[in-house]
Amino acid sequence: MTKNKLGSEIKGEEYLVLHEFAKKAKEKLSKETWDYLIGAAETETTFKRNRYALDSLAFRPRVLRDVEKVNLSSKLFGHELRIPIILAPIGSMQDFVEGAGEAPTKAASEFGVMHMISSTCMPGFEQVAKSVNYPKLFQLYVRGDQDWVDDNIKKAIDLNYAGICLTVDLDAYGRRERDLAKRYRTTSRQSASGFEHQMRFSWKDIDRIKTYCDLPIIIKGIATKEDAILAVEHGVEVIYVSNHGGRQLDFGLGGLKVLPEIVDAVGKDATIFFDGGIMRGTDVVKALSLGADVVGIGRLQGLAAAAGGSKAIYRMLELLELEIITCLRLLGVNDITDLNSSLLTKDDSFGTLDALSAFPLINEGYWFIWNRIWLNFFKNFSAIVFGDNGTIFWFVYFKSGFF
């Protein structure tokens, strides 16, 4: 008698859910590099509040809306985005993946979004520009004097970068205790210098840069409406709402908590970028519903990069796109421009928060495809015989359909 199958196995895809990137990344990375990727500053409260701000919002779905066709595309600085996402800058990408900054830039270009490359990311923004001919963004840490800053920005302009991002929440390097407790420094930190220049950087420098830079200026690290208003007054085109993933100032507010006040203060006077704990398609939808124009993907990008390089980052973007489309259909929304705060409500009834709480199946023992393959392998042993001296003999018979 044969057993009836209630379903069939999905074959051909290494990654079908987002948590599989985290599992693979943790397997491949050293403990030190893993902790750098998922860690944050001091008590990691800001980091946890990023997740809390996302999880404490519930959806209010509408029905009977005809959602056969759903549009996720938008434009950024005149360039088409397949989904309203950028790959956020990661300074030590070279610690996660071979090819470093080229890997996410390649994945972004093939998928149809933009990568914002960090000035501390190898092999350097000049080499990345030469290797990938596609619109991309340049993020600069201020590690030199005015001439140094101007020289780097002018190089990025000449290399046809689509926008210039200045990170402004790094006047002191956050105390990331996971790293300090292990006496660990990332590759970008090992050669870091010139922090005094970041400390001196001010609105006067923004005014100076605006005199010669015709590209859109993005200020990353805005966390209050007061600074957002100042940015607009100084001619900044993009307000990037971010707390550096909770890796800088501890006990800050969760990113999504501050987004509405900044959106209300700025109105249509600037484009709004947002990042802070984004791990799922539903997270992206929540940020867009509260007024973000573009959402940055940071840690999830790092997890995918560590799991499988450029191809895995591309696949991560595919899965995010699928989750966003699914969410919009279930909300009764046809177009991302129709998202608004009426689709959200406050609700604090959710589980515990940790670095990977967006992926609850990890704690239930779900493994990626290679674990399943090895499980199937051991199921195909036909006999195990114990010898008189305690020796174990394994006789293997490979049944048909092993994989």
Side-chain angles (χ1 to χ4, degrees):
M1 183 175 70
T2 59
K3 293 182 179 180
N4 292 325
K5 284 190 175 181
L6 299 180
S8 61
E9 186 177 356
I10 301 173
K11 298 182 179 181
E13 283 289 356
E14 185 173 3
Y15 304 103
L16 286 176
V17 290
L18 289 171
H19 80 245
E20 291 172 333
F21 298 110
K23 297 292 290 188
K24 191 70 171 286
K26 189 171 185 180
E27 180 186 68
K28 295 179 71 173
L29 294 175
S30 68
K31 172 64 175 173
E32 291 80 7
T33 306
W34 170 259
D35 269 3
Y36 164 73
L37 176 56
I38 67 165
E42 299 179 18
T43 68
E44 302 189 340
T45 297
T46 304
F47 169 64
K48 293 171 186 174
R49 285 176 177 168
N50 279 345
R51 191 66 237 170
Y52 175 85
L54 288 158
D55 288 351
S56 62
L57 288 177
F59 287 117
R60 301 181 64 250
R62 305 297 303 274
V63 297
L64 298 174
R65 294 294 189 95
D66 186 2
V67 289
E68 180 182 4
K69 296 180 180 180
V70 173
N71 174 52
L72 303 185
S73 65
S74 62
K75 284 194 173 183
L76 178 60
F77 310 146
H79 302 287
E80 192 80 16
L81 293 181
R82 176 168 159 180
I83 56 179
I85 277 174
I86 63 165
L87 298 179
I90 299 178
S92 290
M93 179 62 78
Q94 56 270 13
D95 293 1
F96 308 141
V97 60
E98 185 177 351
E102 291 179 343
T105 306
K106 183 174 183 289
S109 66
E110 292 175 350
F111 183 84
V113 295
M114 288 191 198
H115 176 220
M116 180 182 285
I117 185 166
S118 169
S119 59
T120 62
C121 180
M122 294 294 109
F125 74 99
E126 293 173 278
Q127 177 59 39
V128 169
K130 294 173 184 177
S131 63
V132 183
N133 183 22
Y134 191 82
K136 61 191 78 67
L137 307 169
F138 175 54
Q139 176 265 328
L140 181 66
Y141 288 117
V142 178
R143 294 290 181 267
D145 60 16
Q146 292 183 7
D147 291 340
W148 183 91
V149 170
D150 295 346
D151 182 58
N152 276 277
I153 291 176
K154 288 174 182 177
K155 284 180 181 177
I157 294 170
D158 292 341
L159 290 166
N160 294 318
Y161 276 84
I164 304 295
C165 176
L166 297 158
T167 294
V168 296
D169 60 356
L170 209 80
D171 291 341
Y173 192 80
R175 290 182 56 79
R176 303 166 192 184
E177 294 189 357
R178 290 175 187 254
D179 300 340
L180 293 170
K182 292 188 291 297
R183 280 44 177 181
Y184 174 72
R185 288 192 300 170
T186 63
T187 53
S188 63
R189 282 285 290 158
Q190 290 169 20
S191 59
S193 62
F195 281 92
E196 69 276 11
H197 298 290
Q198 185 83 56
M199 298 174 192
R200 298 169 185 156
F201 200 68
S202 71
W203 292 111
K204 293 180 181 179
D205 294 287
I206 301 299
D207 293 338
R208 187 190 76 257
I209 292 167
K210 289 291 294 181
T211 63
Y212 66 82
C213 181
D214 292 329
L215 292 180
I217 296 295
I218 306 159
I219 300 296
K220 183 177 184 289
I222 299 294
T224 64
K225 65 180 180 181
E226 290 85 357
D227 279 339
I229 292 170
L230 275 172
V232 171
E233 290 175 351
H234 285 269
V236 171
E237 287 85 0
V238 181
I239 309 297
Y240 196 147
V241 182
S242 174
N243 56 36
H244 222 101
R247 302 162 82 85
Q248 284 299 103
L249 178 66
D250 199 14
F251 290 98
L253 286 171
L256 209 67
K257 181 80 172 178
V258 305
L259 177 61
E261 74 171 53
I262 291 173
V263 170
D264 290 344
V266 170
K268 299 296 183 181
D269 293 333
T271 299
I272 304 292
F273 286 12
F274 172 82
D275 70 27
I278 302 294
M279 288 287 195
R280 307 300 300 242
T282 47
D283 297 340
V284 175
V285 173
K286 289 176 182 180
L288 296 174
S289 297
L290 290 180
D293 297 300
V294 175
V295 177
I297 305 299
R299 278 185 180 86
L300 182 58
Q301 174 199 166
L303 293 170
S310 181
K311 289 183 179 179
I313 298 172
Y314 182 96
R315 179 60 179 158
M316 176 271 292
L317 290 167
E318 283 187 323
L319 291 177
L320 271 183
E321 179 182 49
L322 176 59
E323 288 193 353
I324 295 169
I325 290 172
T326 300
C327 183
L328 259 63
R329 283 198 169 115
L330 294 176
L331 284 175
V333 175
N334 298 92
D335 196 293
I336 55 169
T337 59
D338 295 328
L339 291 169
N340 60 77
S341 60
S342 72
L343 296 166
L344 300 172
T345 188
K346 187 75 173 175
D347 190 332
D348 291 326
S349 56
F350 54 86
T352 57
L353 297 175
D354 58 50
L356 299 176
S357 58
F359 308 126
L361 294 187
I362 286 179
N363 296 325
E364 295 185 22
Y366 281 74
W367 297 84
F368 45 82
I369 188 170
W370 292 109
N371 298 85
R372 177 181 59 77
I373 289 174
W374 280 112
L375 179 62
N376 285 344
F377 177 84
F378 286 110
K379 284 181 179 178
N380 280 272
F381 284 122
S382 62
I384 299 177
V385 178
F386 295 87
D388 292 337
N389 62 354
T391 304
I392 300 175
F393 299 93
W394 287 357
F395 296 89
V396 183
Y397 171 73
F398 295 103
K399 302 174 184 178
S400 60
F402 171 65
F403 289 102

